[in-house]
Amino acid sequence: MHLQEVPVGVSDLERFTPLIAADRSEALRALIATSRDTFAGRTVWNVNSTATGGGVAEMLAALLPYARGAGVDTRWLVIKGDTSFYAITKRLHNGLHGVDTGALGDAERAHYAEVADANAEELLAQIRPGDVVLLHDPQTAGMVAAARSAGAKVVWRCHIGVDHPNDVVAATWDFLQPFLIAADAFVFSRVAHVPAWAPGDAVHIIPPSIDPFAVKNAEMSPEAVRAIIAGIGLVAADGAAGTPTFQRRDGSPGRVDHLADVIRTGPAPSPETPLVVQVSRWDRLKDMAGVMRAFAEHVDPATGAHLALVGPNVSGVADDPEGGEVLAACHDAWRDLPHAERARIQLVCLPMYDLEENAAIVNAIQRCAAVVVQKSLAEGFGLTVAEAMWKARPMVASDVGGISDQIVDGDSGLLVADPTDLAATGAALNRVLRDPELAWRLGNAAKARVGQRFLGERHLRQYAELLASLLT
Ligand code: UDP
């Protein structure tokens, strides 16, 4: 077992100043000043299960450089497990979403603990009393007690959950609770996700955020968007498309060189085709297959719209063993569609060789979309929602989990009350596709809402306050 350290860059929180109100900038500066004292001589360790792919890695990559820029020694470690460990943790992940993908008994508990102990041993070699250890999600729950015993303050952050927990959720908490109970604090994205056993005074609600300056969310010219989506093969190159370039996080130039793997019939659609897009990992709870059926059966062909279901190349996300199966199931369902429907739907796997290239591609795809969908069956938060909203895209999304906190229905997007209601999803898509004025209004309100509530500056402020309360 080897904990892998992920290099963390440095970003300046002052970059947020033009985006936020003056009182927020002042609060931020005051916090930076006190944080230097609070965290002097301490290291804040973040531990999760993957450096790439999925919302947690995305958020750590975005947030941690600002903490370093504010003078806090912040580091990022990724645990290492074997295939059966990740099979167990995927069941825990599914279980906290209420989905039963296999019971977890004594053998699983023993193996989970064994891998956690091996990782914890390496962690203990690095941490000192007085440090802070932030453990993310069920994959790291087994390290709480060890980190505590080394004299660190330990915060466990849960990024997932369901609004109406069932027996599967309860059984999953029964598995996790003995590992977790020693933590100094617990962070959840929303109140509905807090389990009954969690001690109320140790629970903190901190919604996630996006980084407006990340390659994934940074401003991008319409020409660059066009060049990138043509360059990867999502739409036809019409001769006018230039070189697919973007700016890397460090300011240096980047170029999109890899193609997407695209499953479609015939040639790529023209760049003028209105695209309905869902960008997600290939995970059952994202219901890519449901988006496909809703589009095929209920979106009016007269809108001229095509659907692009976009996810990572399935070998690219280390802690997500189900990706290949979910993609294969989507592919089968696509093959079974009548030809006319298949001809307006494409499955797209994005290259993961270079994460900034991948981020630039996601940025371009979200920006080019006529409508962005997030038809998740359950969702801890749903960073893809905030990402698309920040790009002023009109959204059609399920009224579940953190999505309900992000979108105000009819104002900053359209929420579908029952995520399994394909007709309602299709009707909402038709509404937006047929009404450019509505699309424009929803998109603009979406951007404003993210600016007010879901940027990294608010997120860091809440973290700093929580950690300061533990340390002082
Ligand atoms: N993502 C990506 N490339 C892909 C698919 C997804 O970079 O091909 C990113 C997406 O932009 C978002 C994150 O993965 O930043 C997914 O986070 P979210 O909270 O939406 O869902 P999670 O995957 O954590 O369940």
Side-chain angles (χ1 to χ4, degrees), residues 374-438:
Q374 192 61 53
K375 206 187 92 55
S376 305
L377 302 175
E379 193 65 78
F381 181 71
L383 281 178
T384 48
V385 174
E387 289 164 4
M389 290 171 77
W390 179 246
K391 296 173 182 96
R393 294 297 80 208
M395 291 238 27
V396 169
S398 312
D399 192 1
V400 296
I403 298 177
S404 314
D405 298 332
Q406 296 184 69
I407 295 177
V408 177
D409 185 31
D411 178 49
S412 41
L414 298 184
L415 290 175
V416 177
D418 173 1
T420 62
D421 186 341
L422 302 183
T425 305
L429 286 169
N430 285 329
R431 236 182 107 192
V432 180
L433 287 165
R434 288 175 182 146
D435 185 347
E437 197 278 325
L438 173 69

Short mmCIF file of all heavy atoms in Angstrom, two decimals, residues 374-438:
data_model
loop_
_atom_site.label_atom_id
_atom_site.label_comp_id
_atom_site.label_asym_id
_atom_site.label_seq_id
_atom_site.Cartn_x
_atom_site.Cartn_y
_atom_site.Cartn_z
N GLN A 374 -29.14 17.17 -15.94
CA GLN A 374 -28.54 16.33 -14.90
C GLN A 374 -29.68 15.54 -14.29
O GLN A 374 -30.32 15.97 -13.33
CB GLN A 374 -27.77 17.16 -13.86
CG GLN A 374 -26.90 16.30 -12.95
CD GLN A 374 -25.82 15.52 -13.72
OE1 GLN A 374 -25.04 16.10 -14.48
NE2 GLN A 374 -25.79 14.21 -13.56
N LYS A 375 -29.92 14.38 -14.89
CA LYS A 375 -31.09 13.59 -14.50
C LYS A 375 -30.74 12.54 -13.45
O LYS A 375 -31.20 11.40 -13.49
CB LYS A 375 -31.69 12.91 -15.74
CG LYS A 375 -33.18 12.62 -15.60
CD LYS A 375 -33.69 11.80 -16.76
CE LYS A 375 -33.66 10.33 -16.53
NZ LYS A 375 -34.37 9.86 -15.34
N SER A 376 -29.92 12.93 -12.48
CA SER A 376 -29.48 11.99 -11.45
C SER A 376 -30.67 11.43 -10.67
O SER A 376 -31.64 12.14 -10.42
CB SER A 376 -28.55 12.69 -10.46
OG SER A 376 -27.47 13.29 -11.14
N LEU A 377 -30.53 10.16 -10.25
CA LEU A 377 -31.57 9.57 -9.41
C LEU A 377 -31.35 9.95 -7.94
O LEU A 377 -32.28 10.00 -7.15
CB LEU A 377 -31.55 8.05 -9.57
CG LEU A 377 -31.74 7.57 -11.02
CD1 LEU A 377 -31.59 6.06 -11.12
CD2 LEU A 377 -33.09 8.02 -11.57
N ALA A 378 -30.09 10.19 -7.61
CA ALA A 378 -29.72 10.72 -6.29
C ALA A 378 -28.46 11.53 -6.52
O ALA A 378 -27.71 11.26 -7.46
CB ALA A 378 -29.43 9.59 -5.31
N GLU A 379 -28.21 12.52 -5.69
CA GLU A 379 -27.03 13.36 -5.92
C GLU A 379 -26.63 14.02 -4.62
O GLU A 379 -27.45 14.67 -3.97
CB GLU A 379 -27.38 14.42 -6.97
CG GLU A 379 -26.20 15.16 -7.53
CD GLU A 379 -25.25 14.27 -8.32
OE1 GLU A 379 -25.55 13.93 -9.47
OE2 GLU A 379 -24.21 13.93 -7.74
N GLY A 380 -25.36 13.82 -4.21
CA GLY A 380 -24.87 14.52 -3.03
C GLY A 380 -24.97 16.02 -3.25
O GLY A 380 -25.62 16.75 -2.52
N PHE A 381 -24.31 16.48 -4.29
CA PHE A 381 -24.38 17.89 -4.66
C PHE A 381 -24.62 18.00 -6.16
O PHE A 381 -25.63 18.50 -6.60
CB PHE A 381 -23.09 18.62 -4.25
CG PHE A 381 -23.11 20.09 -4.59
CD1 PHE A 381 -23.93 20.97 -3.88
CD2 PHE A 381 -22.33 20.60 -5.62
CE1 PHE A 381 -23.95 22.32 -4.20
CE2 PHE A 381 -22.35 21.96 -5.93
CZ PHE A 381 -23.15 22.82 -5.22
N GLY A 382 -23.65 17.51 -6.94
CA GLY A 382 -23.77 17.61 -8.40
C GLY A 382 -23.00 18.81 -8.90
O GLY A 382 -23.58 19.83 -9.27
N LEU A 383 -21.67 18.68 -8.89
CA LEU A 383 -20.85 19.80 -9.35
C LEU A 383 -21.14 20.18 -10.79
O LEU A 383 -21.03 21.33 -11.18
CB LEU A 383 -19.36 19.42 -9.27
CG LEU A 383 -18.70 19.47 -7.91
CD1 LEU A 383 -17.26 19.02 -8.03
CD2 LEU A 383 -18.77 20.88 -7.34
N THR A 384 -21.50 19.17 -11.59
CA THR A 384 -21.77 19.46 -13.01
C THR A 384 -22.90 20.49 -13.14
O THR A 384 -22.92 21.24 -14.12
CB THR A 384 -22.18 18.18 -13.75
OG1 THR A 384 -23.18 17.53 -12.97
CG2 THR A 384 -21.01 17.26 -13.97
N VAL A 385 -23.78 20.53 -12.16
CA VAL A 385 -24.89 21.49 -12.21
C VAL A 385 -24.35 22.91 -12.03
O VAL A 385 -24.60 23.80 -12.85
CB VAL A 385 -25.95 21.14 -11.13
CG1 VAL A 385 -27.03 22.19 -11.07
CG2 VAL A 385 -26.54 19.76 -11.42
N ALA A 386 -23.57 23.11 -10.97
CA ALA A 386 -22.99 24.45 -10.74
C ALA A 386 -22.08 24.86 -11.90
O ALA A 386 -22.05 26.03 -12.30
CB ALA A 386 -22.22 24.47 -9.42
N GLU A 387 -21.35 23.89 -12.44
CA GLU A 387 -20.45 24.20 -13.56
C GLU A 387 -21.23 24.75 -14.75
O GLU A 387 -20.87 25.75 -15.36
CB GLU A 387 -19.69 22.94 -13.99
CG GLU A 387 -18.63 22.49 -13.00
CD GLU A 387 -18.15 21.05 -13.22
OE1 GLU A 387 -18.58 20.41 -14.20
OE2 GLU A 387 -17.36 20.56 -12.40
N ALA A 388 -22.32 24.07 -15.09
CA ALA A 388 -23.10 24.51 -16.25
C ALA A 388 -23.83 25.82 -15.94
O ALA A 388 -23.94 26.70 -16.80
CB ALA A 388 -24.10 23.42 -16.64
N MET A 389 -24.32 25.97 -14.70
CA MET A 389 -25.02 27.20 -14.32
C MET A 389 -24.07 28.40 -14.42
O MET A 389 -24.44 29.47 -14.88
CB MET A 389 -25.58 27.08 -12.90
CG MET A 389 -26.75 26.10 -12.77
SD MET A 389 -27.20 25.80 -11.04
CE MET A 389 -28.12 27.28 -10.61
N TRP A 390 -22.83 28.18 -13.96
CA TRP A 390 -21.85 29.28 -14.00
C TRP A 390 -21.59 29.72 -15.45
O TRP A 390 -21.23 30.85 -15.71
CB TRP A 390 -20.55 28.83 -13.32
CG TRP A 390 -19.47 29.86 -13.33
CD1 TRP A 390 -18.28 29.81 -13.98
CD2 TRP A 390 -19.49 31.13 -12.64
NE1 TRP A 390 -17.55 30.95 -13.74
CE2 TRP A 390 -18.27 31.78 -12.92
CE3 TRP A 390 -20.42 31.76 -11.81
CZ2 TRP A 390 -17.95 33.03 -12.41
CZ3 TRP A 390 -20.10 33.02 -11.30
CH2 TRP A 390 -18.88 33.64 -11.60
N LYS A 391 -21.80 28.80 -16.37
CA LYS A 391 -21.61 29.13 -17.80
C LYS A 391 -22.91 29.66 -18.41
O LYS A 391 -23.06 29.73 -19.62
CB LYS A 391 -21.11 27.89 -18.54
CG LYS A 391 -19.73 27.47 -18.01
CD LYS A 391 -19.25 26.16 -18.59
CE LYS A 391 -17.91 25.77 -18.00
NZ LYS A 391 -17.99 24.84 -16.86
N ALA A 392 -23.85 30.02 -17.53
CA ALA A 392 -25.13 30.61 -17.96
C ALA A 392 -25.91 29.69 -18.88
O ALA A 392 -26.60 30.14 -19.80
CB ALA A 392 -24.90 31.98 -18.60
N ARG A 393 -25.81 28.40 -18.62
CA ARG A 393 -26.58 27.44 -19.43
C ARG A 393 -27.94 27.19 -18.77
O ARG A 393 -28.03 27.09 -17.55
CB ARG A 393 -25.84 26.09 -19.51
CG ARG A 393 -24.52 26.09 -20.26
CD ARG A 393 -24.67 26.43 -21.71
NE ARG A 393 -24.79 27.86 -21.92
CZ ARG A 393 -25.43 28.43 -22.93
NH1 ARG A 393 -26.03 27.71 -23.82
NH2 ARG A 393 -25.47 29.73 -23.05
N PRO A 394 -28.99 27.06 -19.55
CA PRO A 394 -30.26 26.63 -18.97
C PRO A 394 -30.17 25.15 -18.62
O PRO A 394 -29.62 24.35 -19.39
CB PRO A 394 -31.27 26.85 -20.11
CG PRO A 394 -30.47 26.83 -21.37
CD PRO A 394 -29.08 27.30 -21.01
N MET A 395 -30.67 24.80 -17.44
CA MET A 395 -30.56 23.41 -16.99
C MET A 395 -31.92 22.77 -16.83
O MET A 395 -32.88 23.41 -16.41
CB MET A 395 -29.88 23.36 -15.61
CG MET A 395 -28.46 23.74 -15.62
SD MET A 395 -27.31 22.50 -14.99
CE MET A 395 -27.99 20.92 -15.21
N VAL A 396 -31.96 21.48 -17.11
CA VAL A 396 -33.10 20.64 -16.76
C VAL A 396 -32.52 19.55 -15.86
O VAL A 396 -31.64 18.80 -16.29
CB VAL A 396 -33.76 20.02 -18.00
CG1 VAL A 396 -34.77 18.95 -17.60
CG2 VAL A 396 -34.44 21.11 -18.84
N ALA A 397 -32.96 19.49 -14.61
CA ALA A 397 -32.31 18.57 -13.67
C ALA A 397 -33.32 18.00 -12.69
O ALA A 397 -34.38 18.57 -12.45
CB ALA A 397 -31.20 19.31 -12.92
N SER A 398 -32.95 16.86 -12.11
CA SER A 398 -33.82 16.21 -11.13
C SER A 398 -33.87 17.02 -9.84
O SER A 398 -32.84 17.54 -9.40
CB SER A 398 -33.27 14.83 -10.78
OG SER A 398 -32.96 14.12 -11.92
N ASP A 399 -35.03 17.03 -9.24
CA ASP A 399 -35.20 17.73 -7.96
C ASP A 399 -34.77 16.80 -6.83
O ASP A 399 -35.58 16.35 -6.03
CB ASP A 399 -36.67 18.14 -7.82
CG ASP A 399 -36.89 19.12 -6.68
OD1 ASP A 399 -35.89 19.49 -6.03
OD2 ASP A 399 -38.04 19.51 -6.46
N VAL A 400 -33.48 16.47 -6.79
CA VAL A 400 -32.98 15.55 -5.76
C VAL A 400 -31.70 16.11 -5.16
O VAL A 400 -30.97 16.86 -5.81
CB VAL A 400 -32.65 14.13 -6.33
CG1 VAL A 400 -33.90 13.45 -6.84
CG2 VAL A 400 -31.57 14.19 -7.38
N GLY A 401 -31.46 15.75 -3.91
CA GLY A 401 -30.19 16.04 -3.24
C GLY A 401 -29.77 17.49 -3.41
O GLY A 401 -30.57 18.42 -3.41
N GLY A 402 -28.45 17.65 -3.60
CA GLY A 402 -27.89 18.99 -3.70
C GLY A 402 -28.35 19.75 -4.93
O GLY A 402 -28.19 20.98 -4.98
N ILE A 403 -28.92 19.07 -5.90
CA ILE A 403 -29.42 19.79 -7.09
C ILE A 403 -30.56 20.72 -6.66
O ILE A 403 -30.67 21.85 -7.14
CB ILE A 403 -29.89 18.81 -8.19
CG1 ILE A 403 -28.72 17.95 -8.66
CG2 ILE A 403 -30.49 19.58 -9.37
CD1 ILE A 403 -29.11 16.91 -9.70
N SER A 404 -31.38 20.24 -5.70
CA SER A 404 -32.51 21.07 -5.24
C SER A 404 -32.02 22.34 -4.55
O SER A 404 -32.74 23.34 -4.50
CB SER A 404 -33.38 20.28 -4.26
OG SER A 404 -33.64 18.99 -4.74
N ASP A 405 -30.81 22.29 -3.97
CA ASP A 405 -30.27 23.50 -3.33
C ASP A 405 -29.72 24.48 -4.36
O ASP A 405 -29.63 25.68 -4.10
CB ASP A 405 -29.12 23.14 -2.37
CG ASP A 405 -29.58 22.23 -1.24
OD1 ASP A 405 -30.77 22.31 -0.89
OD2 ASP A 405 -28.76 21.44 -0.74
N GLN A 406 -29.32 23.95 -5.50
CA GLN A 406 -28.67 24.81 -6.49
C GLN A 406 -29.66 25.53 -7.40
O GLN A 406 -29.51 26.71 -7.68
CB GLN A 406 -27.72 23.97 -7.35
CG GLN A 406 -26.57 23.36 -6.56
CD GLN A 406 -25.59 22.63 -7.46
OE1 GLN A 406 -24.88 23.23 -8.25
NE2 GLN A 406 -25.56 21.32 -7.36
N ILE A 407 -30.67 24.80 -7.87
CA ILE A 407 -31.60 25.37 -8.85
C ILE A 407 -32.90 25.77 -8.17
O ILE A 407 -33.50 24.98 -7.44
CB ILE A 407 -31.89 24.34 -9.96
CG1 ILE A 407 -30.62 24.05 -10.75
CG2 ILE A 407 -33.02 24.83 -10.87
CD1 ILE A 407 -30.79 22.98 -11.81
N VAL A 408 -33.32 26.98 -8.41
CA VAL A 408 -34.67 27.39 -8.00
C VAL A 408 -35.55 27.18 -9.23
O VAL A 408 -35.34 27.81 -10.27
CB VAL A 408 -34.70 28.87 -7.56
CG1 VAL A 408 -36.13 29.28 -7.21
CG2 VAL A 408 -33.76 29.09 -6.39
N ASP A 409 -36.51 26.27 -9.09
CA ASP A 409 -37.29 25.83 -10.25
C ASP A 409 -37.99 27.00 -10.93
O ASP A 409 -38.66 27.81 -10.28
CB ASP A 409 -38.33 24.80 -9.78
CG ASP A 409 -39.10 24.21 -10.95
OD1 ASP A 409 -38.53 24.10 -12.05
OD2 ASP A 409 -40.29 23.88 -10.75
N GLY A 410 -37.82 27.08 -12.23
CA GLY A 410 -38.50 28.12 -13.01
C GLY A 410 -37.76 29.43 -13.00
O GLY A 410 -38.07 30.34 -13.77
N ASP A 411 -36.75 29.54 -12.14
CA ASP A 411 -35.99 30.78 -12.05
C ASP A 411 -34.56 30.58 -12.57
O ASP A 411 -34.13 31.22 -13.53
CB ASP A 411 -35.97 31.24 -10.58
CG ASP A 411 -35.16 32.49 -10.41
OD1 ASP A 411 -35.39 33.43 -11.19
OD2 ASP A 411 -34.27 32.53 -9.53
N SER A 412 -33.83 29.64 -11.95
CA SER A 412 -32.45 29.42 -12.38
C SER A 412 -32.28 28.04 -13.02
O SER A 412 -31.19 27.49 -13.03
CB SER A 412 -31.51 29.59 -11.18
OG SER A 412 -32.03 29.00 -10.02
N GLY A 413 -33.35 27.51 -13.56
CA GLY A 413 -33.32 26.20 -14.23
C GLY A 413 -34.68 25.55 -14.07
O GLY A 413 -35.56 26.13 -13.42
N LEU A 414 -34.85 24.38 -14.66
CA LEU A 414 -36.12 23.66 -14.49
C LEU A 414 -35.83 22.37 -13.74
O LEU A 414 -34.92 21.62 -14.10
CB LEU A 414 -36.75 23.32 -15.85
CG LEU A 414 -37.14 24.52 -16.74
CD1 LEU A 414 -37.83 24.01 -18.00
CD2 LEU A 414 -38.05 25.51 -16.00
N LEU A 415 -36.58 22.14 -12.66
CA LEU A 415 -36.42 20.92 -11.88
C LEU A 415 -37.52 19.93 -12.25
O LEU A 415 -38.68 20.32 -12.43
CB LEU A 415 -36.50 21.22 -10.38
CG LEU A 415 -35.32 21.99 -9.78
CD1 LEU A 415 -35.60 22.33 -8.31
CD2 LEU A 415 -34.03 21.18 -9.89
N VAL A 416 -37.14 18.67 -12.35
CA VAL A 416 -38.11 17.61 -12.62
C VAL A 416 -38.35 16.89 -11.30
O VAL A 416 -37.42 16.32 -10.71
CB VAL A 416 -37.58 16.64 -13.69
CG1 VAL A 416 -38.57 15.50 -13.92
CG2 VAL A 416 -37.29 17.38 -14.99
N ALA A 417 -39.61 16.94 -10.81
CA ALA A 417 -39.90 16.47 -9.45
C ALA A 417 -39.55 15.00 -9.27
O ALA A 417 -38.94 14.62 -8.28
CB ALA A 417 -41.37 16.71 -9.13
N ASP A 418 -39.94 14.17 -10.24
CA ASP A 418 -39.66 12.74 -10.13
C ASP A 418 -38.61 12.38 -11.18
O ASP A 418 -38.88 12.40 -12.37
CB ASP A 418 -40.96 11.96 -10.38
CG ASP A 418 -40.73 10.46 -10.46
OD1 ASP A 418 -39.57 10.02 -10.31
OD2 ASP A 418 -41.71 9.74 -10.69
N PRO A 419 -37.40 12.04 -10.73
CA PRO A 419 -36.32 11.81 -11.71
C PRO A 419 -36.56 10.63 -12.63
O PRO A 419 -35.88 10.50 -13.64
CB PRO A 419 -35.08 11.59 -10.84
CG PRO A 419 -35.56 11.33 -9.48
CD PRO A 419 -36.94 11.91 -9.34
N THR A 420 -37.53 9.77 -12.27
CA THR A 420 -37.80 8.64 -13.17
C THR A 420 -38.91 8.98 -14.18
O THR A 420 -39.28 8.13 -15.00
CB THR A 420 -38.23 7.39 -12.37
OG1 THR A 420 -39.45 7.70 -11.67
CG2 THR A 420 -37.16 6.98 -11.37
N ASP A 421 -39.43 10.18 -14.13
CA ASP A 421 -40.53 10.58 -15.01
C ASP A 421 -39.94 11.05 -16.35
O ASP A 421 -39.55 12.22 -16.50
CB ASP A 421 -41.33 11.69 -14.32
CG ASP A 421 -42.58 12.06 -15.11
OD1 ASP A 421 -42.65 11.74 -16.31
OD2 ASP A 421 -43.48 12.68 -14.51
N LEU A 422 -39.87 10.13 -17.30
CA LEU A 422 -39.23 10.45 -18.59
C LEU A 422 -40.02 11.49 -19.36
O LEU A 422 -39.45 12.37 -20.02
CB LEU A 422 -39.07 9.18 -19.42
CG LEU A 422 -38.27 8.05 -18.76
CD1 LEU A 422 -38.12 6.87 -19.72
CD2 LEU A 422 -36.90 8.53 -18.32
N ALA A 423 -41.36 11.40 -19.29
CA ALA A 423 -42.19 12.34 -20.04
C ALA A 423 -41.98 13.76 -19.51
O ALA A 423 -41.87 14.72 -20.28
CB ALA A 423 -43.66 11.95 -19.93
N ALA A 424 -41.89 13.89 -18.19
CA ALA A 424 -41.69 15.23 -17.61
C ALA A 424 -40.31 15.78 -17.98
O ALA A 424 -40.16 16.98 -18.27
CB ALA A 424 -41.83 15.17 -16.08
N THR A 425 -39.31 14.90 -18.01
CA THR A 425 -37.97 15.34 -18.42
C THR A 425 -38.01 15.83 -19.87
O THR A 425 -37.50 16.91 -20.19
CB THR A 425 -36.96 14.18 -18.29
OG1 THR A 425 -37.02 13.68 -16.96
CG2 THR A 425 -35.55 14.63 -18.61
N GLY A 426 -38.66 15.03 -20.71
CA GLY A 426 -38.76 15.41 -22.13
C GLY A 426 -39.53 16.71 -22.30
O GLY A 426 -39.13 17.59 -23.09
N ALA A 427 -40.60 16.87 -21.53
CA ALA A 427 -41.41 18.09 -21.65
C ALA A 427 -40.59 19.32 -21.25
O ALA A 427 -40.66 20.37 -21.90
CB ALA A 427 -42.66 17.97 -20.78
N ALA A 428 -39.81 19.19 -20.19
CA ALA A 428 -38.98 20.33 -19.75
C ALA A 428 -37.94 20.67 -20.83
O ALA A 428 -37.68 21.84 -21.11
CB ALA A 428 -38.30 19.99 -18.42
N LEU A 429 -37.37 19.63 -21.43
CA LEU A 429 -36.39 19.88 -22.50
C LEU A 429 -37.06 20.58 -23.68
O LEU A 429 -36.52 21.54 -24.24
CB LEU A 429 -35.75 18.56 -22.96
CG LEU A 429 -34.75 17.96 -21.97
CD1 LEU A 429 -34.36 16.53 -22.36
CD2 LEU A 429 -33.49 18.84 -21.91
N ASN A 430 -38.24 20.10 -24.07
CA ASN A 430 -38.94 20.74 -25.18
C ASN A 430 -39.22 22.21 -24.88
O ASN A 430 -39.07 23.07 -25.74
CB ASN A 430 -40.27 20.03 -25.45
CG ASN A 430 -40.05 18.70 -26.16
OD1 ASN A 430 -39.10 18.55 -26.94
ND2 ASN A 430 -40.92 17.73 -25.89
N ARG A 431 -39.61 22.47 -23.63
CA ARG A 431 -39.92 23.86 -23.25
C ARG A 431 -38.72 24.76 -23.48
O ARG A 431 -38.84 25.84 -24.05
CB ARG A 431 -40.26 23.88 -21.76
CG ARG A 431 -41.61 24.47 -21.45
CD ARG A 431 -41.81 24.50 -19.95
NE ARG A 431 -41.71 25.86 -19.44
CZ ARG A 431 -41.61 26.17 -18.16
NH1 ARG A 431 -41.57 25.22 -17.24
NH2 ARG A 431 -41.55 27.43 -17.79
N VAL A 432 -37.56 24.32 -23.02
CA VAL A 432 -36.37 25.17 -23.14
C VAL A 432 -35.92 25.25 -24.60
O VAL A 432 -35.56 26.33 -25.09
CB VAL A 432 -35.23 24.64 -22.23
CG1 VAL A 432 -34.00 25.53 -22.36
CG2 VAL A 432 -35.68 24.57 -20.78
N LEU A 433 -35.97 24.13 -25.30
CA LEU A 433 -35.49 24.13 -26.69
C LEU A 433 -36.37 25.01 -27.59
O LEU A 433 -35.90 25.60 -28.56
CB LEU A 433 -35.48 22.69 -27.24
CG LEU A 433 -34.37 21.78 -26.70
CD1 LEU A 433 -34.67 20.31 -27.00
CD2 LEU A 433 -33.01 22.19 -27.28
N ARG A 434 -37.64 25.12 -27.24
CA ARG A 434 -38.56 25.89 -28.10
C ARG A 434 -38.63 27.36 -27.73
O ARG A 434 -39.27 28.13 -28.44
CB ARG A 434 -39.98 25.30 -27.97
CG ARG A 434 -40.14 23.96 -28.65
CD ARG A 434 -41.52 23.42 -28.35
NE ARG A 434 -41.74 22.11 -28.94
CZ ARG A 434 -42.49 21.17 -28.38
NH1 ARG A 434 -43.07 21.39 -27.20
NH2 ARG A 434 -42.66 20.02 -28.99
N ASP A 435 -38.04 27.73 -26.61
CA ASP A 435 -38.23 29.09 -26.12
C ASP A 435 -36.87 29.73 -25.78
O ASP A 435 -36.41 29.69 -24.64
CB ASP A 435 -39.13 29.04 -24.87
CG ASP A 435 -39.49 30.42 -24.35
OD1 ASP A 435 -38.88 31.41 -24.78
OD2 ASP A 435 -40.40 30.49 -23.49
N PRO A 436 -36.22 30.36 -26.78
CA PRO A 436 -34.89 30.93 -26.54
C PRO A 436 -34.89 31.99 -25.44
O PRO A 436 -33.93 32.12 -24.70
CB PRO A 436 -34.51 31.56 -27.89
CG PRO A 436 -35.46 30.99 -28.88
CD PRO A 436 -36.68 30.53 -28.15
N GLU A 437 -36.00 32.72 -25.32
CA GLU A 437 -36.04 33.77 -24.30
C GLU A 437 -36.01 33.14 -22.90
O GLU A 437 -35.29 33.58 -22.01
CB GLU A 437 -37.31 34.60 -24.50
CG GLU A 437 -37.29 35.95 -23.80
CD GLU A 437 -37.66 35.85 -22.31
OE1 GLU A 437 -38.51 35.00 -21.95
OE2 GLU A 437 -37.07 36.60 -21.52
N LEU A 438 -36.75 32.04 -22.73
CA LEU A 438 -36.74 31.31 -21.45
C LEU A 438 -35.34 30.77 -21.18
O LEU A 438 -34.80 30.88 -20.07
CB LEU A 438 -37.75 30.15 -21.49
CG LEU A 438 -37.72 29.20 -20.29
CD1 LEU A 438 -38.23 29.88 -19.04
CD2 LEU A 438 -38.53 27.92 -20.58
#
